[in-house]
Amino acid sequence: MSLEELKQWFTIKHMLDMLAEYRSFGVIPGVLLPMAEAFLPFLPLFVFVMANAAAFGLWKGFLISWIGTSVGSLLVFFLVRKIGRQRFFSFLHRHPTIRRMMHWVERRGFGPLFLLLCFPFTPSAAVNVVAGLSGIAMQQYMLAVLLGKMVMVFMISFIGYDVVALIRHPMRTVFVAVAIFLLWYIGKKVEQRFALHDGK
């Protein structure tokens, strides 16, 4: 499969067609796609969430995506917490960057993690792995994931729930593009700010 074919496969239209085709399975495909992104971070979570909102409506689509991505993130965290401290993974603990990130998570705790997970372009897969390797309390990370993902998924769902309007009204498309850019820009600034404070 070429890169062009892969891009076409992950369009919102294709996601909607797929969700309609598998509608007999109920919400299962809509939950599994965001969940899979936690294990395969190259998958486009943004597209999955927008497709769910467009297919199932704002609130139901939001709930489906939130459950899927939250469960996926927590599963990665639990798996890393379970097996990440075994001898085979000891090289991760010795890696300077990983160790620095682990200490950052342990020192900063809930607040910064919650803020990072609120933004859709945060590399949440890396955050899940590092948190699993760190000594952060399980309950603390669960709360950060559930609340942070709630904010992030709702923002994307709100943007994508009326995908037809995006096509028919170019100005709304421009507004959405600006909103997505701002989310990306603010998220990067938050990451840089925390990194700067951590280096002091």
Side-chain angles (χ1 to χ4, degrees), residues 31 35 38-39 66-76 78 145-146:
V31 172
M35 188 186 299
F39 294 89
W66 178 57
I67 291 170
T69 189
S70 296
V71 169
S73 293
L74 292 173
L75 281 175
V76 171
F78 292 142
V145 166
L146 292 174

Side-chain angles (χ1 to χ4, degrees), residues 26-145:
V27 300
I28 293 174
V31 172
L32 291 181
L33 287 172
M35 188 186 299
E37 185 272 341
F39 294 89
L40 304 169
F42 58 85
L43 294 176
L45 178 63
F46 208 98
V47 173
F48 296 155
V49 174
M50 288 180 73
N52 276 341
F56 297 105
L58 175 59
W59 293 107
K60 188 175 181 180
F62 154 72
L63 189 61
I64 291 167
S65 298
W66 178 57
I67 291 170
T69 189
S70 296
V71 169
S73 293
L74 292 173
L75 281 175
V76 171
F77 173 80
F78 292 142
L79 284 171
V80 173
R81 177 63 56 94
K82 182 74 175 175
I83 66 174
R85 293 171 180 174
Q86 295 179 8
R87 188 175 179 181
F88 179 74
F89 292 93
S90 60
F91 71 94
L92 287 174
H93 294 269
R94 293 196 298 269
H95 194 283
T97 303
I98 298 292
R99 288 186 66 84
R100 184 171 61 83
M101 292 173 70
M102 286 166 55
H103 294 323
W104 182 88
V105 168
E106 289 166 359
R107 283 201 305 273
R108 303 291 177 177
F110 170 83
L113 284 173
F114 164 73
L115 283 176
L116 285 174
L117 292 170
C118 282
F119 294 99
F121 298 103
T122 295
S124 59
V127 174
N128 295 329
V129 171
V130 170
L133 292 170
S134 75
I136 189 172
M138 191 178 297
Q139 297 88 341
Q140 196 175 22
Y141 192 67
M142 285 178 67
L143 189 63
V145 166

